[in-house]
Amino acid sequence: MKTIVVCTNFRPSTTQPSCARRGSEALAEWLETEIGERGLQARVERSVCLGHCPVGPNVRLLGKECFHEASREKLIPLLDSLK
């Protein structure tokens, strides 16, 4: 089973970037829904930090590439590749 890691780090200071402030939690929920609807053998894991806060939200297919400034549109090809 493939694992898609979504950074859901939330930094309380408004002067520091965080993936959660950029919508990563909603993105993780959308991924879970899409995986279920498509019947894919994958799961979503929420992570504290992937180390790329300035270019978040960040999503990584475990052991593979990292998607910076991730969005639904950018992640559709990732989901398509899991078929």
Side-chain angles (χ1 to χ4, degrees), residues 22-33:
R22 295 186 179 124
S24 65
E25 195 60 56
L27 196 57
E29 291 173 14
W30 174 79
L31 282 167
E32 289 169 337
T33 299

Side-chain angles (χ1 to χ4, degrees), residues 20-75:
R21 286 193 186 276
R22 295 186 179 124
S24 65
E25 195 60 56
L27 196 57
E29 291 173 14
W30 174 79
L31 282 167
E32 289 169 337
T33 299
E34 284 293 309
I35 288 167
E37 288 178 357
R38 292 172 179 231
L40 300 174
Q41 294 297 311
R43 66 184 186 96
V44 174
E45 180 179 298
R46 287 160 173 81
S47 173
V48 176
C49 188
L50 293 176
H52 302 286
C53 298
V55 291
N58 296 289
V59 175
R60 177 182 296 274
L61 179 59
L62 201 60
K64 302 287 182 178
E65 69 269 27
C66 189
F67 295 84
H68 304 296
E69 297 177 344
S71 65
R72 291 179 181 192
E73 293 77 23
K74 284 186 176 182
L75 296 176

